[in-house]
Amino acid sequence: METLRHTGIRREELLEITHLALVSYRLTDTGELVPLLQILPSKTNQERLLLVSPELASVLATVITRVRNANGGRIPLVSQYDSHERVFGPMLPHLFQRRARGHRTEVISHGTVQDLLDRALDRAGLRDAAGEPLRFTPHDFRRMFATEAVTGGLPVHIAARLLGHEDLNTTQAYLAVFQDDLIRPYRSFLDQRRALRPEAEYREPTDEEWREFQQHFALRKIELGTCGRPYGTPCKHEHACVRCPMLRMDPSQRRRLIEIIKSLSDRIDEAKLNGWLGEAEGLRVSLQAARKKLAALDRATTPSTARITDLGIPQIKKS
């Protein structure tokens, strides 16, 4: 369920995920390595790559750990049966596998996926407005992913690429809300409802409420400066402030930044000495970002020596 929710992939694509599908990509601007999940084509002939978010990384790590713990620290090679072609695929380290009867390891079937969803909903006890038990299909999570992505600000044409759609209209049919035309009538509806509700519900905030609101921004003060994230948004860099472009450096913290740069250099040397190549790579990205922060801080605090040249007012000559 978590993998479907964080990727929006189809059920057949879910069951084709293997340990080999986790790849990395180096960003050209920062040189940072980012994890990607390779999705094999199902309905189309184009494979696609999805960025592995921290939430999805946690899910995949849990799945990999569970499979390894059940198989002596390794991921067994299993063959998936294609019910359409009626053939078995190559032996691959599939992540969604289980022990079948006779202690044989196999990739879970399409019916098993739906059965697991039904069991989870039964345990949750969720019901709809009519009191009937809720029922979800794997495709419902695909619609949730598309709606959350587009309403969260992702352009619909990029969402189409992530979902593997060739036609943009197909993606729009997945969305619960996407047209600007829906927003304007809804705002009109809110204005009408507000006119009918008691005025006390739309009163001005008290001084105490306003102070509590302002205290939120005081919490944005960090050791190196001020965090410029929008109100109410989480930290996408997990508080690795040196890397974050939203960090506004405090000039008084220049000495502290130099100490961080020196510490990162020493830790890189230690990592290389011990052969911790992955650790060294991550520290190198932080070191580059810290040096850029120092250069930007020096440019902002150094007085400009450029002189202003008076070009005068242009004279328009009559012909």
Side-chain angles (χ1 to χ4, degrees):
M1 291 174 66
E2 287 294 293
T3 306
L4 291 171
R5 186 173 71 90
H6 289 297
T7 59
I9 58 179
R10 303 178 178 92
R11 175 169 51 184
E12 55 269 26
E13 295 171 340
L14 172 78
L15 300 181
E16 291 176 353
I17 295 179
T18 69
H19 197 209
L20 304 176
L22 292 169
V23 297
S24 60
Y25 173 75
R26 186 182 299 277
L27 298 177
T28 56
D29 52 349
T30 63
E32 183 178 0
L33 286 174
V34 295
L36 300 173
L37 181 64
Q38 185 181 28
I39 303 299
L40 299 178
S42 56
K43 287 190 175 181
T44 63
N45 293 324
Q46 295 182 352
E47 66 180 12
R48 61 191 191 277
L49 295 171
L50 301 180
L51 182 64
V52 178
S53 64
E55 296 83 3
L56 179 57
S58 175
V59 172
L60 295 177
T62 302
V63 174
I64 294 173
T65 301
R66 183 169 54 200
V67 176
R68 282 178 171 171
N69 291 342
N71 296 279
R74 63 184 184 89
I75 299 180
L77 301 179
V78 294
S79 178
Q80 183 185 19
Y81 179 71
D82 191 332
S83 59
H84 299 287
E85 300 291 338
R86 296 185 177 181
V87 295
F88 283 93
M91 303 291 287
L92 294 171
H94 290 275
L95 296 187
F96 293 95
Q97 56 177 267
R98 67 169 185 174
R99 290 287 182 89
R101 289 186 294 271
H103 302 285
R104 182 171 58 89
T105 304
E106 65 180 12
V107 180
I108 64 177
S109 65
H110 289 201
T112 302
V113 174
Q114 185 61 60
D115 184 53
L116 292 173
L117 292 179
D118 293 340
R119 293 184 193 177
L121 289 172
D122 289 339
R123 290 194 299 268
L126 298 177
R127 296 182 178 274
D128 59 16
E132 297 295 328
L134 286 180
R135 177 178 172 81
F136 281 97
T137 66
H139 218 73
D140 290 326
F141 292 94
R142 186 168 167 83
R143 297 178 185 277
M144 294 177 193
F145 173 84
T147 300
E148 290 181 357
V150 175
T151 56
L154 187 69
V156 66
H157 66 281
I158 297 180
R161 293 288 300 273
L162 295 179
L163 293 170
H165 288 160
E166 294 181 345
D167 188 359
L168 194 63
N169 293 326
T170 305
T171 307
Q172 291 180 338
Y174 274 59
L175 307 179
V177 177
F178 66 93
Q179 302 103 325
D180 291 340
D181 294 339
L182 296 180
I183 298 177
R184 288 191 290 270
Y186 183 68
R187 293 186 64 179
S188 176
F189 160 74
L190 291 180
D191 293 336
Q192 295 176 6
R193 186 181 66 177
R194 181 172 182 175
L196 300 175
R197 300 296 298 175
E199 294 183 359
E201 293 185 2
Y202 302 96
R203 60 176 174 78
E204 292 293 326
T206 64
D207 293 340
E208 180 62 25
E209 291 171 339
W210 187 247
R211 281 194 296 269
E212 291 179 0
F213 174 77
Q214 290 179 319
Q215 285 177 1
H216 165 81
F217 298 97
L219 297 177
R220 295 303 176 92
K221 297 293 183 180
I222 53 181
E223 183 177 9
L224 294 175
T226 303
C227 179
R229 286 184 289 120
Y231 174 77
T233 59
C235 178
K236 296 182 179 180
H237 297 84
E238 297 183 358
H239 303 284
C241 298
V242 172
R243 296 188 184 187
C244 183
M246 300 305 296
L247 170 63
R248 300 173 183 174
M249 284 294 304
D250 184 353
S252 64
Q253 296 297 324
R254 187 180 186 278
R255 180 179 299 178
R256 171 61 178 156
L257 184 58
I258 294 176
E259 293 176 356
I260 291 176
I261 293 175
K262 184 179 183 304
S263 175
L264 288 172
S265 301
D266 295 339
R267 290 170 62 188
I268 290 174
D269 294 339
E270 180 185 6
K272 291 180 178 178
L273 184 63
N274 290 278
W276 303 333
L277 301 183
E279 181 74 11
E281 181 66 25
L283 292 172
R284 190 177 296 110
V285 174
S286 297
L287 179 60
Q288 293 174 355
R291 286 173 174 170
K292 290 181 180 179
K293 285 285 190 299
L294 180 61
L297 180 62
D298 290 340
R299 286 195 303 268
T301 56
T302 302
S304 176
T305 57
R307 295 181 178 179
I308 299 177
T309 302
D310 185 8
L311 299 179
I313 300 177
Q315 300 293 327
I316 301 177
K317 298 180 179 180
K318 296 181 179 180
S319 56

